[in-house]
Amino acid sequence: MFTRLFSIAAVATLTLGAITVKAQTNSQVLAAAPAAKTTTTDAGTTAPAEVKKTTKAAEDTSWKPQRRIWGYVFGDLYYNAHADATNRGSENQYNGVPKYRNAFQFRRIYLGYDYEITKKFKVELLLASEPNANTGSFAGATNTIQNGDNLVDGKMAFWIKNANLRIRDLWNGTDLVIGEMGTPGFALNEPGTNGPTSLSEATWGYRSIEKTITDIHKNNSYDLGAALQGTFDPAVKNFGYVFMVGNNSTSSLLSAANNNTGFYKIFYGDLWGKFLNKKLYVDIYADYVKTSPSSTPIPDGQNHNMFKIFAAYNTKPITIGVEAYTQKFASGVSKAGTPENATAQGFSVFAKGAISKTLNYFARFDAYQPDTKFDKTASYTVNTNYGSYNPTVKENFYTLGLDYQPAKGVHFEPNIWLVNYKDNRDASTTGYVAPDHNLVYRATVYYVFGK
């Protein structure tokens, strides 16, 4: 009897304990869970509402940061068929190259790296080597710099051409760029930015053949400063502007006492637009910089400014482009010892198009007058420190050739390069030089990688 009674009591105790534990567990779960919402029925009773489950938002994987090494190279096998007898045209690439010289030559090597820190911030670094044929002196232990970008010993080397930070959409449709960059005169901007992508150099499309006319005559193609590159219609980007302030030193580490670095700044402005379903492109550019203070021989000091207009019409069979500019040098020359202003003017027209899927053609003509008010019988001295300015030499440039492209980014470009020189002075004036020319035949090779 005792055993039966003990067994019944033990079973009852265990059963009650299990029920109690289960009830406590359920109450803890309900306490931890959010209270169920209830709804009132038409009958006045309440019923639990359906509890909606929340899911984590999917991550945006559409943006992939750019990490890109890129570059391009162009050079030629050239033959200098004729050289100007007095070596005029110091701003041209074959200045000083002897007649009949023929050589393989690199004219530009670019190596760039683009890095997107975030969608907002992008960094650009560009190394360049742009050697010229060595026409300078080389005197053993007393070496002098050979030419332009060449090293003291005459070898090629890279130097820093661009290094900048781009802040995209500082406000809607406008980027801020800080550092060393291409100026709005003609330099190319990457697609996807708010900067113009169809400036004169990019539209001409044959930098491997020759610079634009303003680049030849020393307008800054790049500079150290800050720029706003914007569009007035961000959705379609048909109209835009660039405003830039720079050192006017390009990439040169000039002396701290040089007036072009730190005492004065150069201001660049540009307005551009695309019309007729983006077939017609128009670009208007201006710049201004003061270059020296007032002095005894030049009481008004010196400055120079440029105004330029570029237009191109792009169709499938042909692209035609026209560029014209005027540039004023305040007190740029002295006529018979008296300072006066000089105004240079230039005009360039080009045409290019396709012959077949792999073969294209191009042709271009430039006319350059260094001083529109030049007095043929007067004696002049140069005051301006702008480039290699010479008011006495008028130039006409011609080039034409073919562009065979067997693969994307690979170009073989046989071409003719010709500059005619004419003296602005009267033939009876002391120092007058008869008309002459430079004529060069070239087999140019140009290739792009990483883009």
Side-chain angles (χ1 to χ4, degrees):
M1 181 64 68
F2 175 80
T3 302
R4 286 183 177 181
L5 291 174
F6 180 81
S7 299
I8 293 170
V11 171
T13 301
L14 291 173
T15 302
L16 290 172
I19 293 171
T20 303
V21 169
K22 185 175 181 181
Q24 290 176 347
T25 302
N26 289 340
S27 65
Q28 289 174 357
V29 171
L30 291 172
K37 294 182 180 179
T38 59
T39 58
T40 303
T41 64
D42 293 339
T45 60
T46 59
E50 181 182 354
V51 178
K52 295 183 179 179
K53 295 182 179 180
T54 58
T55 58
K56 185 180 178 181
E59 294 183 3
D60 180 12
T61 59
S62 60
W63 178 70
K64 295 182 180 180
Q66 187 181 73
R67 310 282 192 267
R68 180 179 68 174
I69 295 176
W70 64 275
Y72 67 75
V73 178
F74 59 74
D76 337 85
L77 169 60
Y78 75 87
Y79 172 69
N80 194 14
H82 185 87
D84 178 63
T86 55
N87 196 30
R88 289 173 290 184
S90 58
E91 296 172 328
N92 292 316
Q93 60 183 286
Y94 294 104
N95 174 256
V97 176
K99 184 179 179 180
Y100 303 136
R101 187 174 195 270
N102 58 93
F104 292 97
Q105 178 190 6
F106 282 122
R107 286 188 287 115
R108 172 175 282 180
I109 303 172
Y110 267 10
L111 182 61
Y113 183 60
D114 296 335
Y115 185 96
E116 288 182 325
I117 302 172
T118 67
K119 286 183 179 180
K120 192 81 172 176
F121 299 97
K122 178 182 177 181
V123 174
E124 176 191 30
L125 176 66
L126 176 62
L127 303 180
S129 181
E130 299 178 344
N132 297 323
N134 280 340
T135 57
S137 59
F138 188 86
T142 58
N143 295 348
T144 58
I145 294 176
Q146 297 298 292
N147 230 179
D149 299 334
N150 303 2
L151 294 175
V152 173
D153 63 359
K155 291 184 171 61
M156 298 183 294
F158 279 117
W159 49 277
I160 298 172
K161 188 164 190 176
N162 285 340
N164 59 70
L165 172 68
R166 178 179 294 273
I167 305 170
R168 289 192 174 104
D169 288 312
L170 184 66
W171 61 81
N172 187 29
T174 295
D175 295 350
L176 172 63
V177 187
I178 304 169
E180 196 164 287
M181 72 195 84
T183 69
F186 41 84
L188 174 67
N189 292 276
E190 282 289 314
T193 71
N194 287 308
T197 57
S198 301
L199 294 173
S200 57
E201 182 176 289
T203 308
W204 157 233
Y206 284 100
R207 175 61 187 87
S208 55
I209 302 301
E210 188 51 273
K211 304 173 182 177
T212 65
I213 186 171
T214 55
D215 196 3
I216 292 173
H217 298 290
K218 304 307 180 194
N219 184 34
N220 293 338
S221 61
Y222 54 96
D223 202 1
L224 182 59
L228 292 172
Q229 301 177 355
T231 55
F232 298 113
D233 50 350
V236 292
K237 298 184 179 180
N238 280 332
F239 303 96
Y241 72 95
V242 181
F243 176 72
M244 179 176 174
V245 181
N247 276 344
N248 193 37
S249 60
T250 61
S251 63
S252 300
L253 299 176
L254 301 179
S255 165
N258 189 299
N259 287 326
N260 283 341
T261 59
F263 292 96
Y264 308 109
K265 291 291 177 286
I266 184 169
F267 299 89
Y268 308 88
D270 190 82
L271 293 172
W272 56 271
K274 298 179 180 180
F275 307 89
L276 303 180
N277 198 24
K278 299 189 177 184
K279 291 181 179 180
L280 175 64
Y281 181 83
V282 178
D283 180 75
I284 300 173
Y285 166 89
D287 65 35
Y288 172 83
V289 61
K290 187 175 177 66
T291 55
S292 70
S294 301
S295 61
T296 300
I298 306 175
D300 297 329
Q302 292 189 52
N303 64 71
H304 59 79
N305 63 84
M306 175 183 287
F307 178 80
K308 181 184 77 166
I309 184 167
F310 168 73
Y313 188 73
N314 300 278
T315 61
K316 269 195 172 182
I318 189 170
T319 293
I320 298 175
V322 178
E323 185 169 12
Y325 79 93
T326 181
Q327 186 171 27
K328 178 182 176 181
F329 304 98
S331 301
V333 297
S334 288
K335 175 183 173 182
T338 302
E340 68 173 33
N341 299 336
T343 300
Q345 289 184 346
F347 174 81
S348 178
V349 59
F350 67 82
K352 64 177 185 176
I355 299 174
S356 68
K357 288 184 178 181
T358 58
L359 187 63
N360 302 288
Y361 67 89
F362 58 86
R364 179 175 135 192
F365 166 75
D366 296 355
Y368 171 70
Q369 169 58 270
D371 191 350
T372 58
K373 297 181 179 179
F374 192 88
D375 186 342
K376 294 183 177 182
T377 60
S379 61
Y380 283 85
T381 56
V382 178
N383 299 324
T384 182
N385 60 2
Y386 182 86
S388 303
Y389 178 74
N390 183 346
T392 67
V393 183
K394 183 166 64 174
E395 300 177 10
N396 286 335
F397 168 70
Y398 308 83
T399 188
L400 57 90
L402 298 173
D403 174 15
Y404 172 58
Q405 190 175 356
K408 182 180 179 180
V410 178
H411 303 259
F412 297 94
E413 302 167 336
N415 63 94
I416 297 172
W417 188 98
L418 170 66
V419 179
N420 286 332
Y421 302 104
K422 185 176 181 180
D423 202 320
N424 273 331
R425 295 169 292 191
D426 188 80
S428 61
T429 304
T430 302
Y432 172 82
V433 180
D436 206 345
H437 65 275
N438 278 23
L439 174 61
V440 183
Y441 299 103
R442 303 189 301 188
T444 299
V445 178
Y446 166 48
Y447 54 92
V448 183
F449 57 91
K451 280 194 174 184

